[in-house]
Amino acid sequence: LLSISSEIGKIGQGSLEFLQKISVNEPSHSEKIMLVEAIIKVACVDADTFKPTAIPKAIKVKMEQI
């Protein structure tokens, strides 16, 4: 059985990081076996210029509540 998790790591001014893990729980093992761990960084950019910009305050507040 695969187990997949994703959680918010750091929230910066113009980017945030997601911590993602995939593990498997096999009957022959008493504990989970970690298959993949990753840190995904997502940046906020202006839709017209594609230049870095700050995360809108309303979105940042909601993300910090999760």
Side-chain angles (χ1 to χ4, degrees), residues 45-66:
V45 297
D46 183 280
D48 295 323
T49 64
F50 289 100
K51 291 185 178 181
T53 188
I55 299 171
K57 186 172 183 166
I59 293 173
K60 191 171 181 178
V61 167
K62 289 288 186 184
M63 296 297 275
E64 290 172 338
Q65 293 173 351
I66 297 176

Side-chain angles (χ1 to χ4, degrees), residues 15-63:
S15 66
L16 58 112
E17 291 181 353
F18 290 96
L19 310 172
Q20 299 182 336
K21 298 178 183 179
I22 300 175
S23 58
V24 64
N25 206 0
E26 293 188 24
S28 60
H29 294 87
S30 60
E31 57 188 54
K32 289 183 180 180
I33 300 169
M34 188 63 60
L35 299 176
V36 178
E37 289 183 283
I39 298 174
I40 311 300
K41 190 167 189 173
V42 179
C44 188
V45 297
D46 183 280
D48 295 323
T49 64
F50 289 100
K51 291 185 178 181
T53 188
I55 299 171
K57 186 172 183 166
I59 293 173
K60 191 171 181 178
V61 167
K62 289 288 186 184
M63 296 297 275

